[in-house]
Amino acid sequence: MSSAQRQKRRKQRRRRVAVVTGTRAEYGLLRSTIEAIAKHPQLQLQLVVTGMHLLKKFGHTVQQIESDGWKVDVCVPMQRGTDRPLDQAEGLARGIRGVAAFLERAGTDVVLVLGDRIEAMAGALAATTTGRFVAHVHGGDVAPGDLDEQLRHSLTKLAHIHLAATRDAARRIIKMGERPEHVHVVGAPGLDDLFAIAAKHRSSGRGAGATGGLPARAGALIIQHAYGRAPTVEGRVMSAILNAVRATDLDAVIIYPNTDRGHSGVLRAIEKHARAADNGNHLRAVRSLTRDQYLGMLCGAKVLIGNSSSGVIEAPVAGTPSVNVGDRQEGRLRAGPSVIDAAESLSDIRRGLAQALRRRPRTLTNTPYGDGQAGRRIAAVLARKPLNDTCRRKRSTF
């Protein structure tokens, strides 16, 4: 089919947008965007579920997506959930093959991916090699992670439409040689639901909200991800965090890590400390939380501790001080002054935790990451953007 024929065909139907999601956290960030795409009269949502969502070990969170009322168009198995070095590479290959087959079958126009994980890379490569347009959310951010920096910037170079969370990120994308007319500052979609929930907490008191039987006023919310180091190293850091929290006598909820290399060390540390915890559920581990449970708990917690991006982007909006442990988020723009950085030693984590607990909770209504309308803006860009050769033919502006 010629380019002119494709253009004519697109004008006769809604633009088909395949959203690729591979983790519970990323789905939570994309939820408002998925809703906005589904509601837009010029767009047709296609939902591709892969990665951690399909692993029982990490909560089988595809069920959360379905319980939110979304139709899953295809499930594409990727990782096996082991901590073997080959699991990520083999999973990427399976993901590209499975997503590409779906895109061809479904007649997809645009593939939307977020962030810097291999599930997003699988979606983007499947789109590129089958002639689709790639739209990328959160490009231009800075945070080394495991393979995060490499994958994020590679996704930027694959993408035709750039949906940046901040003005700083947009400037970086342009400096990478991307054409300014294809770079759109939309904000961080993860804040869309949070602004509303944080306002509800302000009016009803911190700790209010449904958390599905978990303690609404959990003192500490712990999210620590592995990022490519040996399991023994990752486990040692997680143990330091858990020991620091136990020393404060705070009740704590620990959320399982992602599937990145070294995650088995984090899981072993969690299991060891959970077994040793006092009978009062001082430390409680959960494989996953729904997005609403997580945001409710974030707003009610006294502190968030670990190395999740949620600590530097979402926690300040929730009014929850956070202790950012280690350098996984090094270079990422902090949304507010409530973020406290700590090294990975027990003494430094304890220092950061003590400092965070002295801080008075204060929600933010204005952050560098936008005003909570990112999903609506993303859908609008995807609907109006001309999908023509000018957009398709990427050229460096160096």
Side-chain angles (χ1 to χ4, degrees):
M1 184 183 295
S2 70
S3 178
Q5 287 173 321
R6 286 196 191 97
Q7 282 291 100
K8 184 177 180 180
R9 184 179 174 184
R10 287 191 189 104
K11 290 178 181 178
Q12 295 171 347
R13 60 169 172 81
R14 290 182 295 164
R15 187 170 287 178
R16 295 171 182 171
V17 180
V19 178
V20 179
T21 174
T23 75
R24 65 181 184 227
E26 168 212 62
Y27 166 68
L29 301 181
L30 282 170
R31 195 170 67 167
S32 66
T33 303
I34 292 170
E35 184 176 356
I37 291 170
K39 289 181 177 178
H40 200 289
Q42 295 172 254
L43 301 175
Q44 179 181 336
L45 174 68
Q46 298 172 336
L47 201 52
V48 178
V49 175
T50 185
M52 284 176 62
H53 286 305
L54 306 181
L55 298 176
K56 185 177 180 180
K57 177 180 179 180
F58 294 94
H60 200 233
T61 49
V62 62
Q63 295 173 341
Q64 292 181 12
I65 299 172
E66 292 169 335
S67 67
D68 279 348
W70 298 113
K71 172 183 174 288
V72 175
D73 290 276
V74 67
C75 289
V76 178
M78 286 184 59
Q79 304 96 321
R80 304 297 195 202
T82 72
D83 210 356
R84 296 183 309 117
L86 276 177
D87 191 40
Q88 300 285 5
E90 292 171 349
L92 178 60
R94 284 189 287 268
I96 296 169
R97 181 175 61 247
V99 176
F102 169 76
L103 300 179
E104 280 288 281
R105 189 166 66 246
T108 304
D109 298 307
V110 181
V111 175
L112 178 72
V113 297
L114 179 144
D116 47 31
R117 291 187 54 80
I118 67 165
E119 298 89 355
M121 179 59 74
L125 287 172
T128 300
T129 52
T130 59
R132 270 78 192 178
F133 290 85
V134 178
H136 183 212
V137 184
H138 269 291
D141 287 4
V142 176
D146 177 5
L147 305 173
D148 301 13
E149 201 88 324
Q150 300 165 60
L151 291 176
R152 186 186 313 109
H153 298 334
S154 298
L155 286 163
T156 293
K157 300 313 293 183
L158 289 170
H160 304 90
I161 304 167
H162 306 279
L163 302 159
T166 67
R167 295 189 182 281
D168 282 353
R171 283 192 284 268
R172 288 191 197 97
I173 293 170
I174 293 168
K175 285 182 179 179
M176 291 172 69
E178 297 300 302
R179 294 163 63 178
E181 63 266 31
H182 300 318
V183 181
H184 308 268
V185 180
V186 296
L191 299 185
D192 290 7
D193 294 335
L194 182 55
F195 272 111
I197 290 176
K200 187 182 297 183
H201 276 257
R202 285 197 298 272
S203 62
S204 60
R206 290 183 64 80
T211 55
L214 293 168
R217 292 183 182 272
L221 186 57
I222 304 172
I223 315 172
Q224 176 71 12
H225 296 297
Y227 60 108
R229 300 175 297 186
T232 52
V233 175
E234 301 291 3
R236 186 164 62 243
V237 176
M238 187 63 179
S239 291
I241 292 171
L242 295 172
N243 284 328
V245 172
R246 288 194 65 166
T248 67
D249 204 33
L250 289 171
D251 287 332
V253 171
I254 312 157
I255 303 176
Y256 267 35
N258 60 30
T259 57
D260 287 354
R261 296 175 299 183
H263 71 263
S264 61
V266 178
L267 291 177
R268 280 196 294 270
I270 291 173
E271 290 162 3
K272 177 183 176 182
H273 282 259
R275 285 195 302 268
D278 297 334
N279 289 331
N281 275 344
H282 180 68
L283 296 175
R284 181 168 178 181
V286 296
R287 293 179 189 272
S288 184
L289 296 173
T290 68
R291 181 65 173 172
D292 290 338
Q293 285 175 335
Y294 174 71
L295 293 180
M297 191 165 288
L298 177 62
C299 289
K302 290 182 179 179
V303 63
L304 171 65
I305 180 168
N307 61 8
S308 168
S309 62
S310 188
V312 299
I313 298 176
E314 296 167 69
V317 174
T320 302
S322 60
V323 181
N324 175 56
V325 178
D327 59 5
R328 183 171 182 262
Q329 301 299 331
E330 183 182 0
R332 193 184 291 275
L333 185 64
R334 274 54 175 155
S338 59
V339 181
I340 298 164
D341 293 305
E344 293 181 332
S345 67
L346 175 60
S347 60
D348 210 54
I349 295 169
R350 291 185 69 172
R351 173 201 60 78
L353 200 49
Q355 187 178 345
L357 292 172
R358 289 194 298 268
R359 298 220 166 165
R360 184 184 180 92
R362 185 174 68 86
T363 57
L364 295 182
T365 56
N366 184 28
T367 85
Y369 289 94
D371 57 2
Q373 298 296 318
R376 179 184 58 79
R377 292 192 185 99
I378 290 169
V381 171
L382 295 179
R384 71 170 183 260
K385 190 75 177 177
L387 300 184
N388 52 27
D389 285 343
T390 302
C391 184
R392 183 186 301 278
R393 293 175 180 167
K394 289 175 62 71
R395 294 178 182 173
S396 177
T397 60
F398 288 134

